[in-house]
Amino acid sequence: IDINDNLSEKSDYVGAHHLHQGANLIGVCVLPEDNSVSNVVSGPLDGIIGEGVAASNNPSIGWVGSLAEISPSDGYWFKASEETIHLTVGDKHETESFELNPGANLISYCCANDIPLDELDSDCIEGIIGEGVAASWIGEMPIGSLTALSTGKGYWVKTAEECELAFECTEYEQQLARV
């Protein structure tokens, strides 16, 4: 709905990430149908690292490496050579469950609202690491500087065994004011 109360049937979403110079741990929640690295990634980015995959931006030939496509369920380290805003246009994606392997799993969080860690539905999580924040589980209680998963962010989720991480994405409650 726009400011004139016009409703479009099918509109693209715009995803934005404010990237600082250096490594940024993000989840890309808005993607076009062509989700190839060369179509999704632009701007002053030198490289992208995912779980077991990577791509480098070669000035002569473009993106090279084992990372071919960006997935909305995976987290990524975007390495920026300078501060920038990275935009994507396309469909909005939400992933509400992840099949986790033993060890570290790099996931993205793409729900509209943040979710407190104590609301996560998984008994197997040992810890979660985000960019500059972390939490460990002591019994059933998360302890640390990370208190919630935030939309558009990437996270390393550590488990001791195969398990499922599940949560429910709630609708975004937007409050609009008319002037």
Side-chain angles (χ1 to χ4, degrees), residues 124-142:
C124 66
I125 296 175
E126 294 180 338
I128 300 179
I129 301 171
E131 184 180 340
V133 292
S136 293
W137 265 250
I138 309 298
E140 295 181 15
M141 180 72 102

Side-chain angles (χ1 to χ4, degrees), residues 158-169:
K158 184 179 178 195
T159 66
E161 60 192 40
E162 286 185 15
C163 66
E164 181 183 29
L165 169 62
F167 44 81
E168 188 174 323
C169 292

Side-chain angles (χ1 to χ4, degrees), residues 27-91:
V28 184
C29 304
V30 175
L31 285 169
E33 189 173 325
D34 175 3
N35 63 338
S36 63
V37 171
S38 60
N39 188 54
V40 173
V41 181
S42 62
L45 297 178
D46 298 325
I48 304 170
I49 300 173
E51 184 180 339
V53 292
S56 295
N57 192 0
N58 181 302
S60 301
I61 58 175
W63 289 96
V64 295
S66 59
L67 178 63
E69 296 179 336
I70 302 294
S71 168
S73 61
D74 296 339
Y76 299 97
W77 287 100
F78 275 35
K79 185 178 177 201
S81 57
E82 62 187 58
E83 183 176 357
T84 188
I85 303 292
H86 182 262
L87 298 174
T88 55
V89 177
D91 293 325

Side-chain angles (χ1 to χ4, degrees), residues 12-24:
D12 284 337
Y13 289 90
V14 176
H17 289 92
H18 178 241
L19 304 178
H20 57 79
Q21 182 179 7
N24 299 263

